[in-house]
Amino acid sequence: MIIREYTPQDELGWLRCRVLSFLDSSYYNDVLTHRECYENDSVCLVAEENEKIIGLIDAEIEKDPGILCSAGNQAGL
């Protein structure tokens, strides 16, 4: 397995992986047809095995505490 940065060529595999990961969750209806772009800095990684995307993580990094998430008075992901 390879963990690497997301590239635009990964979009279809990213979408498939995201749909499968949300299938049996309370986010099952949060279906995207394109990967979203973030306004702030972000960490966007994919896990690849046998040339297929098998995992992903996208995390937007807030510049000012409380803008994106609730982490008290400190910035978070």
Side-chain angles (χ1 to χ4, degrees), residues 16-64:
R16 286 181 177 151
C17 192
R18 186 175 189 275
V19 166
L20 288 173
S21 68
F22 281 11
L23 191 59
D24 290 324
S25 77
S26 59
Y27 301 104
Y28 71 92
N29 62 347
D30 189 16
V31 177
L32 299 178
T33 57
H34 296 284
R35 186 180 161 275
E36 61 190 318
C37 295
Y38 299 106
E39 293 180 26
N40 300 301
D41 291 337
S42 60
V43 175
C44 302
L45 303 174
V46 293
E48 179 184 349
E49 188 168 79
N50 298 323
E51 300 181 8
K52 289 188 179 184
I53 303 302
I54 61 168
L56 63 97
I57 185 167
D58 284 0
E60 187 173 13
I61 302 167
E62 62 183 12
K63 293 178 183 178
D64 299 312

Side-chain angles (χ1 to χ4, degrees), residues 3-14:
I3 306 294
R4 60 175 176 75
E5 288 189 37
Y6 170 88
T7 65
Q9 293 83 1
D10 298 325
E11 186 170 33
L12 183 58
W14 183 96

